[in-house]
C-alpha cells in the first residue's frame, strides 16, 4: 500500500499518478500548487470535485461520490483494471488515502500511496513539472466492496469497536471548529490518524501494531473522523498491522452530530473500558 519516492521515480512511466494535495481551509490551494509544480505525469484529483459527492441532508461534509462518476474520472486519466495507481498529497496522507480508499472500494487492487508525499519528493530533488498530462482512455470495471462501509445504523447499534481518528482535543470536545456540537460518538476510542506517521513517513507494521494493542486481529473495527477523509490513514495502518475486518463510516462525525437526536459523548474511552 505504501511505495517510496525512488520506486515511483523509476516506475512513473508505467503507472497512473494522482496529485491529491488539498487544504480544508482553502479548497483552491491544492489545485494552485498542482498548477505550479507536480510529479511528471500526475493528474490532479480534487477532494471536493473528484473524491466527494454533492452535499445533501445526510452523508456529512464529504459524502462519497457517485461511483460511476468517480469511475469515469479514473478512466479519463487512463485507469484500467490492471493499472497500478499511485496517489500522493503533501505528506499527511489523508487526501491520498481518500483516493486509495475509493479505488479499493471500487474493487481496484493495485493502488498505493507515496511515502512522504510531494514534500519528500521535493526534498530528494526529484523532477517536477507544471505541464498537465494529456487525458487518456481507460476501462475500469467497478466491483463495489460494500463490506468496507459501515452504515449509521451499524454505528448506532454499538456492537462494534468504534475508532475516532480526529485530534484528541476534538475527540474530547475541548474544541470543535467545524461541526454542530463538540465531542464524539458514544463508546468510541481515539487513535489520532497523524500518529500513523512520523516526520511525514509511515511507521512500520510493528509500530502500527503497538498503536492498536488490545484489539484482536479479527475484531471488527469501524473507523471514522470528521467527514470520512482523515480516517483513511488509520484504515491503512490497521491493514498494515494485519487487521482485516475494518470498515469506514463515510459520513463520520459530521453526519452523526448533524442529527440532534443522536447522543454525543466527551468522556475518554479505551478498549479496556466496558
Amino acid at each position: 500500500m505504501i511505495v517510496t519516492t525512488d520506486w515511483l521515480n523509476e516506475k512513473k512511466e508505467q503507472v497512473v499518478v494522482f496529485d491529491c494535495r488539498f487544504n480544508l481551509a482553502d479548497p483552491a490551494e491544492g489545485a494552485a500548487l498542482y498548477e505550479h509544480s507536480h510529479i511528471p505525469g500526475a493528474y490532479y484529483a480534487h477532494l471536493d470535485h473528484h473524491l466527494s459527492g454533492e452535499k445533501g441532508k445526510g452523508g456529512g461534509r464529504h459524502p462519497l461520490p457517485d461511483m460511476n462518476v468517480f469511475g469515469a474520472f479514473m478512466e479519463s486519466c487512463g485507469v484500467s483494471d490492471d493499472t497500478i495507481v499511485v496517489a500522493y498529497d503533501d505528506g499527511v496522507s489523508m487526501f491520498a488515502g481518500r483516493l486509495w480508499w475509493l479505488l479499493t472500494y471500487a474493487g481496484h487492487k493495485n493502488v498505493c500511496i507515496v511515502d512522504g508525499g510531494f514534500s519528500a519528493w521535493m526534498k530528494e530533488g526529484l523532477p517536477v513539472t507544471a505541464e498537465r498530462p494529456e487525458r487518456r482512455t481507460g476501462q475500469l470495471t467497478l466491483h463495489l466492496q460494500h463490506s468496507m462501509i459501515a452504515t449509521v445504523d451499524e454505528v448506532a447499534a454499538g456492537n462494534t469497536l468504534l475508532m475516532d481518528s480526529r485530534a484528541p482535543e476534538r475527540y474530547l470536545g475541548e474544541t470543535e471548529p467545524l461541526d454542530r456540537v463538540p465531542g464524539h460518538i458514544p463508546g468510541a476510542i481515539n487513535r489520532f490518524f497523524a500518529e500513523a506517521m512520523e516526520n511525514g513517513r509511515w511507521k512500520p507494521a510493528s509500530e502500527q501494531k503497538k498503536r492498536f494493542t488490545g484489539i484482536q486481529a479479527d475484531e471488527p473495527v469501524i473507523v471514522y473522523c470528521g467527514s470520512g477523509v482523515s480516517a483513511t490513514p488509520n484504515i491503512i495502518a490497521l491493514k498494515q498491522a494485519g487487521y482485516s475486518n475494518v470498515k469506514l463510516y463515510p459520513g463520520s462525525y459530521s453526519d452523526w452530530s448533524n442529527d440532534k437526536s443522536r447522543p454525543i459523548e466527551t468522556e475518554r474511552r479505551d478498549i479496556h473500558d466496558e
Side-chain angles (χ1 to χ4, degrees):
M1 293 178 287
I2 311 298
V3 298
T4 66
T5 50
D6 286 340
W7 182 92
L8 178 56
N9 192 39
E10 292 177 5
K11 305 284 188 181
K12 61 181 181 293
E13 304 296 333
Q14 305 163 37
V15 302
V16 174
V17 185
F18 286 95
D19 184 319
C20 303
R21 285 176 290 173
F22 194 79
N23 182 346
L24 291 169
D26 181 2
E29 182 181 283
L33 290 171
Y34 170 81
E35 293 294 342
H36 180 265
S37 64
H38 52 264
I39 294 174
Y43 297 89
Y44 185 65
H46 194 289
L47 175 64
D48 290 339
H49 302 157
H50 302 123
L51 308 181
S52 302
E54 293 185 13
K55 296 178 183 179
K57 293 183 179 179
R61 279 191 307 280
H62 293 107
L64 296 184
D66 179 312
M67 292 304 290
N68 289 315
V69 174
F70 173 75
F73 169 64
M74 290 287 109
E75 289 180 330
S76 75
C77 300
V79 177
S80 294
D81 293 342
D82 58 352
T83 303
I84 298 174
V85 176
V86 182
Y88 70 87
D89 52 31
D90 60 1
V92 295
S93 291
M94 58 191 279
F95 306 113
R98 172 74 164 203
L99 189 145
W100 172 90
W101 189 92
L102 285 170
L103 258 184
T104 303
Y105 171 59
H108 195 70
K109 304 200 180 288
N110 297 312
V111 55
C112 45
I113 293 176
V114 180
D115 194 16
F118 192 70
S119 300
W121 186 273
M122 290 294 290
K123 286 179 182 177
E124 290 161 22
L126 296 170
V128 296
T129 184
E131 185 177 338
R132 292 187 187 184
E134 293 183 2
R135 287 295 170 185
R136 296 148 68 183
T137 302
Q139 189 168 358
L140 181 65
T141 308
L142 298 181
H143 296 288
L144 300 187
Q145 306 297 300
H146 297 292
S147 62
M148 290 176 58
I149 286 181
T151 65
V152 68
D153 289 336
E154 286 181 78
V155 173
N159 299 322
T160 305
L161 178 67
L162 293 178
M163 182 178 295
D164 188 315
S165 302
R166 297 172 301 160
E169 59 269 22
R170 289 186 68 193
Y171 167 79
L172 293 171
E174 296 171 352
T175 182
E176 182 45 67
L178 298 170
D179 292 315
R180 183 184 65 82
V181 59
H184 58 264
I185 300 173
I189 65 171
N190 183 220
R191 295 293 183 273
F192 185 28
F193 81 92
E195 293 175 352
M197 287 148 278
E198 187 171 6
N199 298 321
R201 302 281 188 170
W202 284 83
K203 293 178 180 178
S206 59
E207 291 299 313
Q208 305 293 6
K209 288 179 181 179
K210 289 179 183 178
R211 296 180 61 228
F212 307 127
T213 297
I215 304 174
Q216 300 302 311
D218 58 350
E219 183 174 356
V221 182
I222 296 173
V223 187
Y224 75 90
C225 54
S227 64
V229 178
S230 65
T232 57
N234 263 344
I235 292 174
I236 293 168
L238 283 159
K239 295 288 187 180
Q240 281 183 293
Y243 294 87
S244 58
N245 196 353
V246 181
K247 295 184 177 184
L248 171 69
Y249 169 28
S252 286
Y253 189 71
S254 58
D255 177 61
W256 180 271
S257 62
N258 191 49
D259 186 334
K260 295 181 180 180
S261 70
R262 294 180 185 140
I264 303 294
E265 186 175 75
T266 56
E267 177 185 357
R268 183 184 298 278
R269 299 290 190 113
D270 218 322
I271 54 177
H272 301 297
D273 298 337
E274 295 184 356

